[in-house]
Amino acid sequence: AGQTIVGFFNGDAMSGDLRAALTELHLGGVILYSAPGNISSVGQVATLVTDIQNVAAGGVPPFVAIDQEGGAVARITKGVTVWPGNMALGAAGDVRLAAEQARIMARELRILGITWDYAPVADVNSNPDNPVIGVRSFGSDAGEVARFVAAMLPPFAREGVLSCAKHFPGHGDVDVDSHLGLPRIDHDRARLESVELVPFRRAAALGVPSVMTAHIIVPALGATDVPATMSAQTLSFLRNDIGFGGLVVTDSLGMGAVDKQWGSVEAGVMALIAGADVLIYGADKGHTPADQWKAHAAILDALRSGRLPQSRLDDAVLRILKAKATCGILDDPMPGADRFGELASDANLAVARAIAEASVTLIRNDRSLVPFAPAGAAIPLVWQAERKD
């Protein structure tokens, strides 16, 4: 049961609570956040990961996971290459740059012992009022998003880091933040096939190792009362129609979209029964690592009562073990401290700068302001100063 849980913890070093979760619950993975103080420097992260794997030694090495998308969502921002973000890549329009970013990002994460990155974002940001995706997406064109997602998957695989296409079946056309409430997408199947599902079909065809579910209700995929994360019909569609054979991982179960109505523990059991393989218990507001213990107990209760079939749990754990074998952490889960010189190297930083420069886009030039005035002319810059009172 513990293998199906990826949980968060507090602090930037091994603690009694984290040790107990690893040795008694046998967590399948841990997820690093900046907010609970897991990250202060690359050296500290590598030491922390080493301690985690040493404590778990003798069992199945846990994933060390992170949300390192680049741009607005990046948990480690010092000592590694910092990237402009997915919409910058989309604006640059060069998938070779996307592939090179993925290679460098994955290599730097693997040097730190991080083996699962919840990226790339496969959402098509078709709704300009979207409060949660926005610049995290490669753009509003489904074909282009699919092209960039496809470019980033092989480099991750070669560097021994699991990639993750998210958030299935597509979080781009919502106007509610699922951290706060439960969004709904009422598009028919034809519309979903022409927009939201395009990047996920492409990723599945290329063998993406994991897909993260969205806490959104999508009636066209079979569920009118529960989000995709907890819908057997929606997850069956992902498996059987799209043909995805890798790990199905939930978005964090402490998010308001599911926590407010079902509670994070019950939502996790429902997701596992519906077909999810990995349950994320993240550092959501109002939640503590104690949720992981409650979820573990609830999974065992569901198993003993017959509500959760043994075959469903076995199926999930088998996929988890295969994924760990694929990325090499069953053989070598440790950080590569001897390769720290590769982190944020001049060559890596040059790629980030090239993406930033290529992304600069002229949106409109209604009054012929561009190009700017001749050299030497004054150009006033006006901005609102922050009030100090």
Side-chain angles (χ1 to χ4, degrees):
Q3 283 298 299
T4 67
I5 298 173
V6 169
F8 88 99
F9 58 94
N10 295 312
D12 65 356
M14 180 58 61
S15 64
D17 288 342
L18 177 56
R19 183 182 297 273
L22 292 168
T23 57
E24 296 179 38
L25 296 185
H26 305 286
L27 290 181
V30 294
I31 180 169
L32 304 182
Y33 289 93
S34 47
N38 301 150
I39 298 165
S40 57
S41 70
V42 291
Q44 167 268 325
V45 169
T47 298
L48 173 61
V49 173
T50 299
D51 290 344
I52 287 170
Q53 297 296 358
N54 281 333
V55 166
V60 179
F63 287 118
V64 179
I66 198 167
D67 286 297
Q68 192 81 357
E69 301 170 7
V73 178
R75 308 303 185 196
I76 307 176
T77 57
K78 295 180 180 179
V80 297
T81 306
V82 177
W83 302 99
N86 289 339
M87 196 163 283
L89 278 168
D94 189 344
V95 293
R96 294 171 299 181
L97 288 174
E100 186 66 358
Q101 174 180 311
R103 180 189 68 80
I104 295 168
M105 180 185 290
R107 178 166 294 185
E108 292 188 346
L109 290 176
R110 194 63 182 83
I111 288 171
L112 297 176
I114 297 168
T115 47
W116 197 357
D117 188 10
Y118 298 131
V121 174
D123 301 310
V124 181
N125 196 61
S126 57
N127 186 340
D129 293 325
N130 193 316
V132 65
I133 302 300
V135 295
R136 296 169 64 191
S137 168
F138 292 107
S140 59
D141 181 279
E144 282 296 284
V145 172
R147 195 165 70 98
F148 278 89
V149 168
M152 299 189 85
L153 300 182
F156 269 98
R158 287 193 292 269
E159 296 299 331
V161 176
L162 289 187
S163 57
C164 182
K166 65 184 187 185
H167 308 78
F168 179 82
H171 213 305
D173 192 11
V174 302
D175 56 11
V176 174
D177 185 345
S178 54
H179 291 87
L180 306 175
L182 180 56
R184 182 184 180 98
I185 293 180
D186 284 313
H187 296 311
D188 62 20
R189 173 73 179 276
R191 153 59 197 247
L192 294 176
E193 290 288 359
S194 66
V195 180
E196 281 80 7
L197 297 176
V198 172
F200 292 101
R201 285 197 179 277
R202 183 72 178 277
L206 292 173
V208 64
S210 65
V211 166
M212 180 179 287
T213 62
H215 301 326
I216 56 176
I217 292 178
V218 187
L221 296 183
T224 59
D225 55 349
V226 294
T229 295
M230 297 142 63
S231 167
Q233 297 95 325
T234 305
L235 299 187
S236 177
F237 176 85
L238 174 61
R239 291 284 188 212
N240 300 322
D241 192 287
I242 290 184
F244 174 64
L247 285 177
V248 174
V249 54
T250 71
D251 208 342
S252 183
L253 293 161
M255 293 166 60
V258 295
D259 185 45
K260 287 180 179 179
Q261 183 166 342
W262 294 278
S264 65
V265 172
E266 173 62 12
V269 174
M270 291 173 67
L272 190 58
I273 292 171
D277 302 308
V278 178
L279 315 175
I280 295 182
Y281 283 89
D284 299 295
K285 186 177 180 179
H287 289 269
T288 71
D291 287 359
Q292 300 154 37
W293 292 80
K294 296 174 184 176
H296 186 273
I299 292 169
L300 293 182
D301 286 344
L303 191 66
R304 294 179 182 124
S305 71
R307 183 183 175 204
L308 172 64
Q310 179 73 51
S311 59
R312 171 77 274 275
L313 182 60
D314 290 346
D315 182 54
V317 173
L318 180 59
R319 283 201 185 92
I320 292 164
L321 296 177
K322 285 181 176 178
K324 290 182 175 183
T326 297
C327 68
I329 68 171
L330 295 184
D331 300 318
D332 180 20
M334 294 298 185
D338 57 325
R339 300 169 58 197
F340 263 39
E342 296 180 42
L343 300 176
S345 68
D346 289 343
N348 294 354
L349 295 174
V351 175
R353 176 171 289 277
I355 294 170
E357 291 176 349
S359 73
V360 176
T361 303
L362 177 62
I363 301 298
R364 56 180 171 267
N365 192 24
D366 298 341
R367 292 188 288 174
S368 301
L369 297 176
V370 180
F372 294 123
I379 301 176
L381 300 177
V382 182
W383 67 95
Q384 181 175 335
E386 180 182 356
R387 293 184 60 169
K388 300 299 184 182
D389 56 352

